[in-house]
Amino acid sequence: MNDYWIAPSILSADFARLGEEASAVLEGGADMIHFDVMDNHYVPNLTIGPLVCKALRQHGIVAPIDVHLMVKPVDRLIADFIDAGADIISFHPEASEHVDRSLQIIREGGAKSGLVLNPATSLNWLQHLLDKVDLILLMSVNPGFSGQEFIDSTLDKISEAREIIDTAGRPIRLEVDGGVKIQNIGSIAKAGADTFVSGSAVFGTNDYAATITAMRKAITDSCS
Ligand code: DX5
Ligand code: ZN
């Protein structure tokens, strides 16, 4: 895999052709599939569950599937997504009664664990958990919908999170989700992110390969 991972969010894909859409972004150079799970309770929208994750595997998707849980409660769905073939499972700490336990359930199931911090959620959540997370996902929009504008104050938060990760010396991925596009992905990378979710800015274009290539070039240009 590349050093910088691009993870198109299938929330913006054509759901009637989901398998083809997932294959198309991967053929276009994406590193993994970002899979947004919304429950109409933790967030005001309703999307897809483990059955759809399993269907993508059965369709032949072998790339990592990065499951972003926007659900409350969290724990029961973790096992379902592991059975369905998820590689990374992230959740919002506000949505879990016992965050440490939820992280452990993910790892014990054999998946990589991720903690998702909303724009207004403090990085302090990480303080006692750094040894239990494989990925930190910083939301650069409020969760619930694709197509929202990137919140600029996230850039400083990315730099702070990068410092925390580097100081700890742990192999934790730093992912950013919301409003990521060709025009801002360079500055997001420069601030310290290494993993980029992008929904509408990928699936809203006609040529996925060209878009992903342009994103990768923007990252390299601003980080070299
Ligand atoms: C928002 C989701 C995002 C969303 C990103 O709650 O978690 O993954 O699909 O979409 P864009 O890239 O369009 O902001
Ligand atoms: Zn997401």
Side-chain angles (χ1 to χ4, degrees):
M1 275 176 90
N2 300 297
D3 290 345
Y4 293 99
W5 297 354
I6 295 176
S9 160
I10 52 172
L11 188 56
S12 295
D14 176 354
F15 273 101
R17 301 171 38 250
L18 194 56
E20 285 165 53
E21 289 271 77
S23 301
V25 284
L26 291 166
E27 278 160 25
D31 298 283
M32 62 184 181
I33 296 296
H34 185 79
F35 192 105
D36 287 305
V37 185
M38 303 185 185
D39 67 348
N40 189 39
H41 172 66
Y42 178 65
V43 289
N45 200 353
L46 184 65
T47 61
I48 45 178
L51 270 177
V52 177
C53 183
K54 194 169 174 196
L56 286 178
R57 286 289 180 229
Q58 283 167 346
H59 178 78
I61 300 296
V62 292
I65 297 181
D66 174 34
V67 173
H68 175 189
L69 295 179
M70 288 160 273
V71 302
K72 186 178 180 173
V74 172
D75 291 0
R76 204 190 51 79
L77 274 180
I78 292 172
D80 293 350
F81 270 102
I82 286 169
D83 289 346
D87 297 277
I88 303 171
I89 301 177
S90 308
F91 64 94
H92 293 249
E94 300 94 334
S96 169
E97 295 294 339
H98 303 285
V99 177
D100 186 288
R101 177 185 293 150
S102 303
L103 289 168
Q104 286 190 51
I105 296 173
I106 296 171
R107 279 195 175 169
E108 282 164 13
K112 300 278 187 203
S113 59
L115 209 56
V116 193
L117 303 179
N118 283 331
T121 303
S122 170
L123 291 170
N124 289 342
W125 272 105
L126 302 171
Q127 197 180 354
H128 303 290
L129 296 169
L130 279 178
D131 58 330
K132 300 213 174 65
V133 297
D134 299 301
L135 176 139
I136 296 164
L137 172 48
L138 297 184
M139 292 306 299
S140 39
V141 298
N142 288 291
F145 304 95
S146 61
Q148 303 179 77
E149 272 301 306
F150 183 89
I151 297 171
D152 281 326
S153 59
T154 313
L155 290 174
D156 287 341
K157 198 173 179 186
I158 296 167
S159 306
E160 278 182 58
R162 168 51 57 204
E163 209 172 313
I164 291 170
I165 292 169
D166 289 351
T167 306
R170 292 185 175 276
I172 299 172
R173 302 294 301 188
L174 181 53
E175 183 173 36
V176 175
D177 183 5
V180 178
K181 48 191 175 190
I182 295 170
Q183 293 80 357
N184 61 14
I185 199 166
S187 43
I188 297 166
K190 195 162 190 190
D194 54 27
T195 305
F196 310 86
V197 176
S198 183
S200 48
V202 172
F203 285 105
T205 58
N206 292 326
D207 186 340
Y208 302 157
T211 304
I212 293 165
T213 303
M215 287 180 165
R216 228 180 263 295
K217 183 174 181 316
I219 295 169
T220 326
D221 286 352
S222 69
C223 293
S224 55

